[in-house]
Structure formats: structure tokens, C-alpha cells
């Protein structure tokens, strides 16, 4: 963990008192004592440092010296065919660490219906995992998660509201264009739609293409879906650097 | 699985008989019957198709029509600080799927000694996982794995033999240069050295730099080590496309 993340309600007049896993990490891994400084941030808020004022057993008292600077949202958004629950649980922290502004989890032909009933889609499950990823990447902005069970109306009617004028890409092994080359102008926002293990169907690719998505692919090799997601996000981020 | 991989000894005069998980996959997932064609390859050998000649219970008889074409080794090699065994077991298939020619697993200051005693480093454990990744990516070339417990002599004396004149990169959060930009000429081989969760030490970075490695980093965000490995390999591959 590279950043201690505090919930807004935990910080009162610049002071916070924590116990549990975060306090244990400070005490046992970082070995803090009174006077130590650690990097700290407020969930969806400012970032800065916190000074340890008190250690009482397994409780740590902190005084926060946070800047006014709130990190920008990552410039990459994601439309993701709902992954297998086990894979999704492993993905949440990785997505937050790689940096995603909005994650729209959508339906696709080649996913199993029951994926949507998984508790991996419950905020009580994914929010702590997203925050774990943010702490790793020293970010405070929790990705916005949308669950969209109906792909067609979402793609046809809601994209402008959700993603604004972001460049739109769809990844599939049917396309050969490099995702790096497709992101021409640095600094522009990009949303990338990534299909399920079996890929998007012809109908789905047409739907995305008719709504402004340009096709990109990883080339001849087709890694497993969870690996492909990390690969595609990394390449788009790299192209925006 | 996108490619049925057969061991060389399984194919006798163009015919192979298989049972077990591969036969089950053909029968239950692909639903083959006599006359079906599937993509097939020989481990470390040629690639092509196989025709189902016989289905007898859970046993499948195949006739292979393989080209003379053996896939090239991937142009990316990896020097990797030995990962935590649990993470390494999940990495093997992903590394093979992303495409790595040679994987040198090395020691580093910030790894635990016992990592080297893990059975995740036993060929009987990692080879099936590498082959699983190859089958996913439709490749036949098994990455060459070297276990190097002594970092300094390996970096100082063996790199030319192992990696030839490949471009040498070292990844660490201490560096700001983009890995994409560091790979200038497409088609050239590249070896990238990736440290442990805590990063390389000053000594280790100096050692790599003095032996021709140029420093690159993923930028401000520092994803978990296993995510960073997939990200860095993807970006280098993309830059070589």
C-alpha cells in the first residue's frame, strides 16, 4: 500500500483515528511511531501527508496535512462485458490501480446470464477492492461503476451522457489496428469496449461501430480475457502519456 | 483453448490418439465428431490442423495436417525478480500467452529467500501452465526458463550469451521514460528486467545500467507487481508491432 486512504467522515478538523487493517499496516509493515509521516489521501478527495500523533495499542492517531489538490480522474474509461465472477473479483483492484474513470459493466451474447447475479457486482464487495487498487497507485478517485444489463439502449442512447466526446474504441480479435496507433492525440479521453472471453458477436461489433467506436486488436496472440483487459488499458494509458 | 497442442512423441506418422482433458475439451466444448477439423500444433514445432478420424468413448483419434512453418520465438525476453509463489503460478500461462522467448527468474534484494524453494519453479508445475498459455495464444514455442539465484554474475557475465544483442530495458518506478518510446526500432528483440513488488534497489539498478539496460517506468501509477508485468510486456510487444 503506497497511500493511506481515509474516508471523508473519518477526518474531523484534520484529525483521524484508525484501527483495523490500515493501522496494522502502518504499525507492522511501515513500522510507524509517533512523529512518522505517511502519504495519505481522502477517498475522492485531496492528497498529501499525515503525521502520526499517537500510537495506543493497535490504534493510530493522525494529523492530516492535505493539499487542495484532488487528482484528476484517469483519462481512460471502460465498457466491459461482464466477466466471470471469479475473474471480476481479481480485476477490480487492478482496474483501479491502472486507472479508469468510469467502468460500465455491460451484457454481451457470449456471457452467462448468472454473471449479473454475482456478488462481485455488489458495491459492498467491489468498493473495498477499488480502494485497495487506488491505495496501491496513490490515487483517490474511485472509478464510477455502472451496471448496464441492456447493451443496445446503453450504446445507442447513453454514451454521450456517460462518456462525453471521448475517443471510442472497441477491442476484438476481429480487428487488426493497433490500439496505440488508434489513440492519436495525447491527453484526450478514451473509452474502450472490451468483450467477453469469446469476443463480441458480429451484431455487437456493428452496434459499437455504428455508434462511433473504432476497432482495435492486440494482434495475432489472443491472451485470456483478464490478461487482455490489463494489456489494453496499459497500452491506451501509454498512448495518452 | 484456441490450439490443440500435441507433444512430439504423441504424433506418429501424422496420427495421434488422445484422451484426458484435451479430448474432453474437443468433445464437450468444441463438440467435435468424426470429420471435424481443429487447429493443432506440435509443442516447439509446426502448426496446422488436425482432422478427427475416430471418436471412441472419451478417446479421440486425429490425423494431423501440419505445415512446415514453426512459429518464430516472441521477440521479447524477460528478466524477472522471482515473484511470490502464488503470483508466479498465476503468471506462467499469462507470460506464455503474451509471448516471451526466454524468462530468466533472478534473485533480488527485496524478495524472500524461500520463493526460490517453491514448487512454482519446478518444470513439472510450470511447463503445463506455459503450454496452457501457448494453446490460448495459438503458439507452439515454449518459453525457455532459466532460474538464476545469483543476480550479479548473471547480469555481468551471461547476458550476451542468453539475450544476444537485444535492446535492454529495466523497469522501475525510479524511471520516468516511457517503455514504448524506449523501443525505437520495430522488429528488434528486447529484454526487459522487472523487479519485485518493492522495486529494484539502488545497487541493482546500477548493476543493470552498467550492463546496458536503459531505465523505463509506467509513470505516476504503480500497479501491483503482477499487473505491472502484464502491462510492461504488452507495451513492449505493442511497440515492436
Amino acid at each position: 500500500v503506497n497511500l493511506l486512504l481515509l474516508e471523508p467522515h473519518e477526518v474531523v478538523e484534520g484529525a483521524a483515528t484508525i484501527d483495523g487493517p490500515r493501522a496494522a499496516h502502518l504499525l507492522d509493515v511501515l513500522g510507524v511511531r509517533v512523529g512518522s509521516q505517511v502519504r495519505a489521501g481522502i477517498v475522492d478527495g485531496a492528497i498529501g501527508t499525515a503525521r502520526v500523533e499517537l500510537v495506543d495499542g493497535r490504534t493510530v492517531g493522525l494529523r492530516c496535512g492535505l493539499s487542495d489538490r484532488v487528482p484528476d480522474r484517469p483519462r481512460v474509461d471502460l465498457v466491459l462485458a461482464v466477466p466471470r465472477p471469479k475473474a471480476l473479483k481479481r480485476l477490480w483492484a487492478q482496474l483501479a490501480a491502472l486507472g479508469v474513470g468510469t467502468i460500465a459493466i455491460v451484457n454481451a451474447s457470449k456471457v452467462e446470464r448468472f454473471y449479473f447475479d454475482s456478488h462481485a457486482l455488489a458495491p459492498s464487495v467491489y468498493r473495498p477492492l477499488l480502494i485497495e487498487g487506488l491505495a496501491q497507485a496513490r490515487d483517490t478517485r474511485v472509478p464510477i461503476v455502472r451496471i448496464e444489463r441492456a447493451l443496445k439502449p446503453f450504446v445507442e442512447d447513453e454514451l454521450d451522457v456517460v462518456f462525453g466526446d471521448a475517443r471510442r474504441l472497441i477491442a476484438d480479435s476481429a480487428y487488426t489496428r493497433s490500439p496505440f496507433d488508434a489513440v492519436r492525440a495525447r491527453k484526450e479521453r478514451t473509452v474502450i469496449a472490451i468483450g467477453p472471453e469469446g469476443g463480441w458477436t458480429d451484431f455487437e461489433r456493428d452496434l459499437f461501430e455504428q455508434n462511433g467506436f473504432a476497432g482495435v486488436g492486440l494482434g495475432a496472440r489472443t491472451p485470456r480475457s483478464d490478461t487482455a483487459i490489463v494489456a489494453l488499458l496499459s497500452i491506451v494509458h501509454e498512448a495518452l502519456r
Side-chain angles (χ1 to χ4, degrees), chain A residues 10 16-25 27 56-62:
Chain A
E10 291 181 302
T17 303
I18 58 170
D19 46 25
R22 289 172 302 169
H25 183 81
L27 294 168
D56 179 7
R58 306 300 288 165
T59 298
V60 177
L62 300 155

Side-chain angles (χ1 to χ4, degrees), chain A residues 62-217:
Chain A
L62 300 155
R63 168 128 325 254
C64 303
L66 301 178
S67 68
D68 292 335
R69 195 179 72 78
V70 178
D72 291 333
R73 271 198 189 286
R75 285 192 294 262
V76 181
D77 297 317
L78 180 60
V79 174
L80 184 64
V82 57
R84 191 173 291 276
K86 206 174 140 191
L88 181 55
K89 268 205 260 181
R90 276 208 299 265
L91 267 175
W92 286 120
Q94 296 187 77
L95 296 177
L98 289 166
V100 181
T102 294
I103 303 169
I105 303 279
V106 300
N107 199 6
S109 290
K110 295 183 191 166
V111 306
E112 306 281 346
R113 249 322 104 200
F114 74 86
Y115 291 1
F116 273 109
D117 303 323
S118 157
H119 72 297
L121 289 176
S124 61
V125 170
Y126 67 67
R127 194 167 189 279
L129 297 171
L130 291 174
I131 288 178
E132 178 190 322
L134 293 176
Q136 171 76 37
R138 289 185 202 146
D139 191 2
T140 68
R141 303 295 296 264
V142 183
I144 297 163
V145 176
R146 301 174 60 108
I147 313 291
E148 303 289 346
R149 280 167 168 269
L151 180 66
K152 193 158 178 281
F154 177 66
V155 173
E156 290 184 339
D157 305 330
E158 301 196 45
L159 290 179
D160 291 345
V161 176
V162 178
F163 300 114
D165 61 354
R167 177 178 298 273
R168 299 175 182 183
L169 303 179
I170 170 179
D172 195 278
S173 61
Y175 304 112
T176 56
R177 188 178 181 199
S178 144
F180 191 95
D181 292 344
V183 179
R184 287 261 167 243
R186 312 231 159 172
K187 312 254 167 187
E188 78 189 348
R189 291 199 68 85
T190 299
V191 52
I192 183 161
I194 306 178
E197 194 65 52
W200 298 110
T201 62
D202 292 349
F203 171 82
E204 289 161 348
R205 288 201 308 275
D206 285 350
L207 176 66
F208 279 108
E209 287 178 18
Q210 280 159 22
N211 285 278
F213 284 73
V216 297

